[in-house]
Amino acid sequence: MAKIKFRIATPERVVYESEVDSVTCPTEMGEVTILPKHIPLVANLKAGELKTIQNGQENYFSLSGGFLEVRTNNEIVILADSAEHAHEIDMARAEEARGRAKKLMAEEVRSEEEYAVTAAALERALARIRVARRRHKDVGRTAP
Ligand code: ATP
């Protein structure tokens, strides 16, 4: 079966590059799964979880927004503001970020802008925590 040439890049680095069978990611239109031979598409990404499947094996990444581009010839490029593989996520850091954002949101809101910035930080932290938990589940499954 045809494979997808897949890459996740941020302004800092190439986070992941591989041939995969499918990519599932959170767009502003909802979650989409892209299989080989998909028509060209550009979509805005939301903060959340991205999943690839490669020979039956799942790989998870956290995304903090960006763009999805599905090109002709089975090629997908994700340009993300930031992205981490499940194994790269520092859970304590993400939990701290979540706590900070929640505390700020519970306080008196100073402006809509500040609220939006804090809500976005919370979304990033929640995405990281969700993806990092997948890693812990994986460890649980594979440990004897
Ligand atoms: P924090 O408040 O903890 O800095 P943030 O959401 O403001 O989090 P970003 O601006 O999205 O962080 O990312 C800055 C850099 O730090 C990126 O390279 C991102 O991949 C990395 N990063 C952020 N949080 C984590 C985390 N919990 N684990 C690993 N890398 C992280």
Side-chain angles (χ1 to χ4, degrees), residues 46-49 62-65 82 84 89 91 93-107 109 113-131 133:
K46 294 198 307 185
E49 175 181 87
S62 56
L63 293 179
S64 66
S82 67
E84 302 87 32
I89 295 170
M91 183 66 129
R93 177 174 167 182
E95 280 174 346
E96 263 176 41
R98 175 181 60 182
R100 256 195 326 270
K102 276 191 151 181
K103 190 164 169 278
L104 275 174
M105 288 176 87
E107 287 170 4
V109 177
E113 206 173 45
E114 195 182 344
Y115 186 86
V117 168
T118 308
L122 180 60
E123 289 300 315
R124 292 196 297 278
L126 291 175
R128 287 176 178 131
I129 290 166
R130 185 170 162 209
V131 172
R133 282 191 180 139

Short mmCIF file of all heavy atoms in Angstrom, two decimals, residues 46-49 62-65 82 84 89 91 93-107 109 113-131 133:
data_model
loop_
_atom_site.label_atom_id
_atom_site.label_comp_id
_atom_site.label_asym_id
_atom_site.label_seq_id
_atom_site.Cartn_x
_atom_site.Cartn_y
_atom_site.Cartn_z
N LYS A 46 -5.38 23.25 15.47
CA LYS A 46 -5.61 23.69 16.84
C LYS A 46 -4.60 23.00 17.75
O LYS A 46 -4.01 21.99 17.37
CB LYS A 46 -7.00 23.25 17.30
CG LYS A 46 -8.12 23.89 16.56
CD LYS A 46 -9.42 23.76 17.32
CE LYS A 46 -9.74 22.31 17.70
NZ LYS A 46 -11.04 22.16 18.35
N ALA A 47 -4.45 23.49 18.96
CA ALA A 47 -3.63 22.77 19.94
C ALA A 47 -4.30 21.43 20.20
O ALA A 47 -5.53 21.34 20.28
CB ALA A 47 -3.54 23.57 21.23
N GLY A 48 -3.52 20.38 20.28
CA GLY A 48 -4.10 19.06 20.54
C GLY A 48 -3.12 17.95 20.23
O GLY A 48 -1.90 18.16 20.23
N GLU A 49 -3.70 16.81 19.93
CA GLU A 49 -2.91 15.59 19.77
C GLU A 49 -2.87 15.16 18.30
O GLU A 49 -3.91 15.13 17.65
CB GLU A 49 -3.61 14.51 20.60
CG GLU A 49 -3.03 13.14 20.47
CD GLU A 49 -3.82 12.15 21.31
OE1 GLU A 49 -4.82 11.60 20.81
OE2 GLU A 49 -3.45 11.96 22.48
N SER A 62 2.24 16.18 20.55
CA SER A 62 1.39 17.32 20.94
C SER A 62 1.71 18.46 19.98
O SER A 62 2.86 18.66 19.58
CB SER A 62 1.65 17.72 22.39
OG SER A 62 3.00 18.00 22.58
N LEU A 63 0.66 19.19 19.63
CA LEU A 63 0.78 20.34 18.73
C LEU A 63 0.22 21.56 19.44
O LEU A 63 -0.73 21.45 20.20
CB LEU A 63 -0.06 20.14 17.47
CG LEU A 63 0.30 19.08 16.47
CD1 LEU A 63 -0.73 19.09 15.35
CD2 LEU A 63 1.70 19.31 15.93
N SER A 64 0.79 22.73 19.12
CA SER A 64 0.21 23.93 19.73
C SER A 64 -0.35 24.88 18.68
O SER A 64 -0.31 26.08 18.85
CB SER A 64 1.26 24.64 20.58
OG SER A 64 2.26 25.13 19.75
N GLY A 65 -0.85 24.33 17.60
CA GLY A 65 -1.40 25.16 16.52
C GLY A 65 -0.41 25.30 15.39
O GLY A 65 0.78 25.03 15.54
N SER A 82 4.75 24.98 17.97
CA SER A 82 5.64 24.08 18.68
C SER A 82 5.02 22.69 18.65
O SER A 82 3.79 22.55 18.51
CB SER A 82 5.90 24.55 20.12
OG SER A 82 4.73 24.46 20.88
N GLU A 84 5.87 18.39 20.07
CA GLU A 84 6.76 17.47 20.78
C GLU A 84 6.26 16.03 20.59
O GLU A 84 5.06 15.78 20.61
CB GLU A 84 6.77 17.74 22.30
CG GLU A 84 7.18 19.13 22.71
CD GLU A 84 6.00 20.12 22.75
OE1 GLU A 84 4.87 19.67 23.05
OE2 GLU A 84 6.19 21.31 22.44
N ILE A 89 8.03 15.05 26.05
CA ILE A 89 7.25 15.97 26.89
C ILE A 89 7.68 15.87 28.35
O ILE A 89 7.77 14.77 28.91
CB ILE A 89 5.74 15.69 26.75
CG1 ILE A 89 5.31 16.00 25.31
CG2 ILE A 89 4.93 16.53 27.75
CD1 ILE A 89 3.92 15.56 24.97
N MET A 91 6.43 16.25 31.68
CA MET A 91 5.10 16.25 32.28
C MET A 91 5.00 17.30 33.40
O MET A 91 4.01 18.01 33.52
CB MET A 91 4.80 14.86 32.83
CG MET A 91 3.43 14.70 33.42
SD MET A 91 2.13 14.87 32.17
CE MET A 91 1.19 13.40 32.50
N ARG A 93 6.62 20.06 33.77
CA ARG A 93 6.56 21.41 33.17
C ARG A 93 5.15 21.70 32.64
O ARG A 93 4.61 22.79 32.84
CB ARG A 93 7.60 21.52 32.06
CG ARG A 93 7.57 22.85 31.35
CD ARG A 93 8.72 22.95 30.35
NE ARG A 93 8.51 24.09 29.46
CZ ARG A 93 9.31 24.42 28.47
NH1 ARG A 93 10.39 23.71 28.23
NH2 ARG A 93 9.05 25.47 27.71
N ALA A 94 4.56 20.71 31.97
CA ALA A 94 3.22 20.91 31.42
C ALA A 94 2.20 21.09 32.54
O ALA A 94 1.28 21.91 32.45
CB ALA A 94 2.85 19.73 30.53
N GLU A 95 2.37 20.33 33.63
CA GLU A 95 1.43 20.45 34.75
C GLU A 95 1.56 21.82 35.42
O GLU A 95 0.57 22.42 35.83
CB GLU A 95 1.63 19.32 35.74
CG GLU A 95 0.94 18.05 35.23
CD GLU A 95 1.19 16.82 36.07
OE1 GLU A 95 2.10 16.85 36.91
OE2 GLU A 95 0.47 15.83 35.86
N GLU A 96 2.81 22.29 35.50
CA GLU A 96 3.02 23.64 36.05
C GLU A 96 2.35 24.69 35.19
O GLU A 96 1.70 25.62 35.68
CB GLU A 96 4.52 23.95 36.11
CG GLU A 96 5.15 23.69 37.46
CD GLU A 96 6.65 23.92 37.42
OE1 GLU A 96 7.09 24.89 36.78
OE2 GLU A 96 7.37 23.10 38.00
N ALA A 97 2.52 24.55 33.87
CA ALA A 97 1.92 25.51 32.93
C ALA A 97 0.40 25.48 33.05
O ALA A 97 -0.26 26.52 33.03
CB ALA A 97 2.36 25.19 31.50
N ARG A 98 -0.15 24.27 33.19
CA ARG A 98 -1.61 24.16 33.36
C ARG A 98 -2.06 24.87 34.65
O ARG A 98 -3.03 25.62 34.65
CB ARG A 98 -2.03 22.69 33.43
CG ARG A 98 -3.52 22.53 33.72
CD ARG A 98 -3.95 21.09 33.81
NE ARG A 98 -3.25 20.37 34.87
CZ ARG A 98 -3.42 19.08 35.13
NH1 ARG A 98 -4.27 18.38 34.42
NH2 ARG A 98 -2.74 18.49 36.09
N GLY A 99 -1.32 24.63 35.73
CA GLY A 99 -1.66 25.25 37.02
C GLY A 99 -1.61 26.76 36.94
O GLY A 99 -2.51 27.46 37.42
N ARG A 100 -0.57 27.27 36.30
CA ARG A 100 -0.41 28.73 36.16
C ARG A 100 -1.59 29.31 35.37
O ARG A 100 -2.17 30.31 35.77
CB ARG A 100 0.88 29.02 35.38
CG ARG A 100 2.03 29.50 36.22
CD ARG A 100 3.16 30.12 35.39
NE ARG A 100 3.40 29.55 34.08
CZ ARG A 100 4.23 28.55 33.82
NH1 ARG A 100 4.89 27.97 34.80
NH2 ARG A 100 4.41 28.11 32.59
N ALA A 101 -1.91 28.66 34.26
CA ALA A 101 -2.98 29.18 33.41
C ALA A 101 -4.33 29.12 34.13
O ALA A 101 -5.11 30.07 34.09
CB ALA A 101 -3.04 28.38 32.10
N LYS A 102 -4.58 28.03 34.83
CA LYS A 102 -5.86 27.89 35.54
C LYS A 102 -5.99 28.95 36.62
O LYS A 102 -7.05 29.52 36.82
CB LYS A 102 -5.95 26.49 36.17
CG LYS A 102 -6.44 25.45 35.21
CD LYS A 102 -6.76 24.18 35.95
CE LYS A 102 -7.85 23.40 35.25
NZ LYS A 102 -8.18 22.18 35.95
N LYS A 103 -4.87 29.20 37.32
CA LYS A 103 -4.88 30.20 38.39
C LYS A 103 -5.19 31.58 37.81
O LYS A 103 -6.02 32.31 38.32
CB LYS A 103 -3.51 30.18 39.08
CG LYS A 103 -3.43 30.97 40.36
CD LYS A 103 -2.18 30.56 41.14
CE LYS A 103 -1.92 31.52 42.28
NZ LYS A 103 -1.23 32.72 41.87
N LEU A 104 -4.52 31.89 36.71
CA LEU A 104 -4.73 33.20 36.07
C LEU A 104 -6.17 33.35 35.59
O LEU A 104 -6.77 34.42 35.71
CB LEU A 104 -3.79 33.36 34.87
CG LEU A 104 -2.39 33.87 35.17
CD1 LEU A 104 -1.55 33.83 33.91
CD2 LEU A 104 -2.44 35.30 35.72
N MET A 105 -6.72 32.25 35.07
CA MET A 105 -8.08 32.34 34.54
C MET A 105 -9.13 32.49 35.65
O MET A 105 -10.21 33.01 35.43
CB MET A 105 -8.39 31.13 33.66
CG MET A 105 -7.64 31.22 32.35
SD MET A 105 -7.87 29.81 31.31
CE MET A 105 -9.36 30.27 30.46
N ALA A 106 -8.75 31.99 36.84
CA ALA A 106 -9.69 32.11 37.97
C ALA A 106 -9.65 33.51 38.57
O ALA A 106 -10.58 33.92 39.26
CB ALA A 106 -9.33 31.07 39.03
N GLU A 107 -8.56 34.21 38.33
CA GLU A 107 -8.44 35.57 38.86
C GLU A 107 -9.26 36.54 38.03
O GLU A 107 -9.72 36.20 36.94
CB GLU A 107 -6.97 36.02 38.83
CG GLU A 107 -6.13 35.32 39.89
CD GLU A 107 -4.63 35.58 39.70
OE1 GLU A 107 -4.26 36.36 38.80
OE2 GLU A 107 -3.86 34.97 40.45
N VAL A 109 -10.27 38.91 35.40
CA VAL A 109 -9.70 39.04 34.06
C VAL A 109 -9.47 40.52 33.75
O VAL A 109 -10.36 41.33 33.90
CB VAL A 109 -10.64 38.43 33.01
CG1 VAL A 109 -10.08 38.62 31.61
CG2 VAL A 109 -10.86 36.96 33.29
N GLU A 113 -7.81 40.12 25.73
CA GLU A 113 -6.55 39.67 25.11
C GLU A 113 -5.79 38.76 26.08
O GLU A 113 -5.30 37.69 25.72
CB GLU A 113 -5.71 40.89 24.77
CG GLU A 113 -4.76 40.65 23.64
CD GLU A 113 -4.07 41.93 23.24
OE1 GLU A 113 -3.64 42.68 24.14
OE2 GLU A 113 -3.98 42.19 22.03
N GLU A 114 -5.71 39.22 27.31
CA GLU A 114 -5.00 38.46 28.33
C GLU A 114 -5.69 37.10 28.55
O GLU A 114 -5.03 36.08 28.71
CB GLU A 114 -4.98 39.26 29.64
CG GLU A 114 -3.98 38.72 30.63
CD GLU A 114 -4.01 39.50 31.93
OE1 GLU A 114 -4.58 40.61 31.96
OE2 GLU A 114 -3.49 38.98 32.92
N TYR A 115 -7.00 37.13 28.53
CA TYR A 115 -7.77 35.90 28.70
C TYR A 115 -7.45 34.93 27.56
O TYR A 115 -7.21 33.74 27.78
CB TYR A 115 -9.27 36.23 28.72
CG TYR A 115 -10.12 35.02 29.03
CD1 TYR A 115 -10.38 34.66 30.35
CD2 TYR A 115 -10.64 34.24 28.00
CE1 TYR A 115 -11.15 33.54 30.63
CE2 TYR A 115 -11.40 33.12 28.28
CZ TYR A 115 -11.66 32.77 29.60
OH TYR A 115 -12.41 31.67 29.88
N ALA A 116 -7.41 35.45 26.32
CA ALA A 116 -7.13 34.60 25.15
C ALA A 116 -5.73 34.00 25.23
O ALA A 116 -5.53 32.81 24.93
CB ALA A 116 -7.31 35.40 23.87
N VAL A 117 -4.77 34.80 25.65
CA VAL A 117 -3.38 34.31 25.76
C VAL A 117 -3.31 33.19 26.80
O VAL A 117 -2.68 32.15 26.60
CB VAL A 117 -2.44 35.49 26.13
CG1 VAL A 117 -1.06 34.98 26.54
CG2 VAL A 117 -2.32 36.45 24.96
N THR A 118 -4.01 33.40 27.93
CA THR A 118 -3.98 32.41 29.00
C THR A 118 -4.72 31.14 28.58
O THR A 118 -4.28 30.02 28.86
CB THR A 118 -4.62 33.00 30.28
OG1 THR A 118 -3.99 34.25 30.54
CG2 THR A 118 -4.41 32.10 31.47
N ALA A 119 -5.86 31.32 27.90
CA ALA A 119 -6.62 30.15 27.44
C ALA A 119 -5.78 29.33 26.45
O ALA A 119 -5.81 28.10 26.48
CB ALA A 119 -7.93 30.60 26.78
N ALA A 120 -5.02 30.01 25.60
CA ALA A 120 -4.17 29.30 24.63
C ALA A 120 -3.07 28.53 25.36
O ALA A 120 -2.74 27.39 24.99
CB ALA A 120 -3.57 30.29 23.63
N ALA A 121 -2.51 29.14 26.42
CA ALA A 121 -1.47 28.46 27.20
C ALA A 121 -2.05 27.22 27.87
O ALA A 121 -1.41 26.16 27.92
CB ALA A 121 -0.89 29.41 28.25
N LEU A 122 -3.29 27.34 28.34
CA LEU A 122 -3.96 26.19 28.98
C LEU A 122 -4.17 25.08 27.95
O LEU A 122 -3.91 23.90 28.23
CB LEU A 122 -5.29 26.64 29.59
CG LEU A 122 -6.10 25.54 30.29
CD1 LEU A 122 -5.32 24.94 31.46
CD2 LEU A 122 -7.43 26.11 30.80
N GLU A 123 -4.60 25.45 26.75
CA GLU A 123 -4.81 24.44 25.69
C GLU A 123 -3.50 23.71 25.37
O GLU A 123 -3.49 22.49 25.19
CB GLU A 123 -5.33 25.12 24.41
CG GLU A 123 -6.75 25.61 24.49
CD GLU A 123 -7.74 24.50 24.78
OE1 GLU A 123 -7.63 23.44 24.14
OE2 GLU A 123 -8.61 24.69 25.65
N ARG A 124 -2.41 24.45 25.29
CA ARG A 124 -1.11 23.81 25.00
C ARG A 124 -0.74 22.83 26.11
O ARG A 124 -0.31 21.71 25.86
CB ARG A 124 0.01 24.86 24.88
CG ARG A 124 -0.08 25.75 23.69
CD ARG A 124 1.25 26.49 23.45
NE ARG A 124 1.65 27.39 24.52
CZ ARG A 124 1.22 28.64 24.68
NH1 ARG A 124 0.34 29.14 23.84
NH2 ARG A 124 1.66 29.39 25.68
N ALA A 125 -0.91 23.29 27.35
CA ALA A 125 -0.54 22.44 28.50
C ALA A 125 -1.41 21.18 28.52
O ALA A 125 -0.90 20.07 28.73
CB ALA A 125 -0.69 23.23 29.79
N LEU A 126 -2.71 21.34 28.27
CA LEU A 126 -3.61 20.17 28.30
C LEU A 126 -3.25 19.18 27.19
O LEU A 126 -3.30 17.97 27.39
CB LEU A 126 -5.07 20.63 28.18
CG LEU A 126 -5.62 21.38 29.40
CD1 LEU A 126 -7.03 21.90 29.10
CD2 LEU A 126 -5.62 20.51 30.65
N ALA A 127 -2.89 19.72 26.03
CA ALA A 127 -2.51 18.85 24.91
C ALA A 127 -1.26 18.04 25.30
O ALA A 127 -1.19 16.83 25.07
CB ALA A 127 -2.24 19.68 23.66
N ARG A 128 -0.30 18.71 25.93
CA ARG A 128 0.95 18.01 26.32
C ARG A 128 0.66 16.94 27.36
O ARG A 128 1.22 15.83 27.29
CB ARG A 128 1.96 19.04 26.84
CG ARG A 128 2.53 19.87 25.70
CD ARG A 128 3.47 20.95 26.17
NE ARG A 128 4.00 21.66 25.01
CZ ARG A 128 4.02 22.99 24.89
NH1 ARG A 128 3.59 23.76 25.87
NH2 ARG A 128 4.49 23.54 23.80
N ILE A 129 -0.17 17.27 28.31
CA ILE A 129 -0.48 16.30 29.37
C ILE A 129 -1.19 15.08 28.77
O ILE A 129 -0.85 13.94 29.07
CB ILE A 129 -1.34 16.98 30.47
CG1 ILE A 129 -0.47 17.98 31.23
CG2 ILE A 129 -1.94 15.94 31.41
CD1 ILE A 129 -1.24 18.96 32.10
N ARG A 130 -2.12 15.36 27.88
CA ARG A 130 -2.87 14.25 27.26
C ARG A 130 -1.93 13.33 26.48
O ARG A 130 -2.00 12.10 26.59
CB ARG A 130 -3.92 14.86 26.33
CG ARG A 130 -4.84 13.85 25.72
CD ARG A 130 -5.99 14.51 25.01
NE ARG A 130 -6.61 13.59 24.11
CZ ARG A 130 -7.23 13.93 22.99
NH1 ARG A 130 -7.32 15.20 22.64
NH2 ARG A 130 -7.77 13.03 22.21
N VAL A 131 -1.03 13.93 25.71
CA VAL A 131 -0.12 13.12 24.89
C VAL A 131 0.91 12.40 25.77
O VAL A 131 1.21 11.23 25.55
CB VAL A 131 0.57 14.01 23.82
CG1 VAL A 131 1.66 13.24 23.09
CG2 VAL A 131 -0.47 14.52 22.83
N ARG A 133 0.45 11.34 28.71
CA ARG A 133 -0.23 10.19 29.37
C ARG A 133 -0.28 8.99 28.45
O ARG A 133 -0.26 7.85 28.91
CB ARG A 133 -1.65 10.60 29.78
CG ARG A 133 -1.62 11.43 31.03
CD ARG A 133 -3.00 11.61 31.61
NE ARG A 133 -2.92 12.42 32.80
CZ ARG A 133 -3.77 13.39 33.13
NH1 ARG A 133 -4.79 13.66 32.33
NH2 ARG A 133 -3.61 14.08 34.24
#
